Amino acid sequence: MGLKKLADKVTDYNARLDSGKASRITPSHVEKVLRKLRVKSNELEAEIAAASSAKKKARLESKLGIARTHIARAEWLLKELG
């Protein structure tokens, strides 16, 4: 799943939570997303190592930075929930 899709899901969740159509996030939900983000991060690192052009490496490194930011936020949220 792409990082944009994950961000869109969070936005949708907040809207549903505000309207009472969703339940609160549990630690298991956060752990599931964290696993996905870590897999994506590892995939991006492998793609960066295999990338031949500097332009592609820069684009992938940008995506990796975003993934690492989301991982840090998810870890923070997990600590807050647990």
Side-chain angles (χ1 to χ4, degrees):
M1 178 179 302
L3 297 178
K4 182 164 176 34
K5 284 186 180 181
L6 285 175
D8 289 342
K9 283 188 173 195
V10 170
T11 303
D12 291 341
Y13 165 75
N14 286 331
R16 288 190 323 270
L17 185 62
D18 290 342
S19 67
K21 294 181 180 180
S23 58
R24 289 252 168 235
I25 295 175
T26 64
S28 64
H29 295 145
V30 178
E31 290 167 355
K32 180 181 174 184
V33 172
L34 236 136
R35 280 192 301 272
K36 289 180 180 183
L37 285 168
R38 287 183 176 137
V39 167
K40 183 66 175 179
S41 177
N42 291 336
E43 289 172 356
L44 287 168
E45 288 173 354
E47 285 184 54
I48 289 169
S52 57
S53 72
K55 187 176 179 180
K56 185 172 183 178
K57 278 187 180 187
R59 184 177 57 80
L60 292 171
E61 286 172 353
S62 174
K63 285 185 174 187
L64 181 59
I66 293 168
R68 288 179 176 160
T69 300
H70 285 295
I71 289 170
R73 289 178 182 169
E75 288 171 345
W76 171 85
L77 180 58
L78 191 58
K79 287 178 188 175
E80 290 295 312
L81 293 174

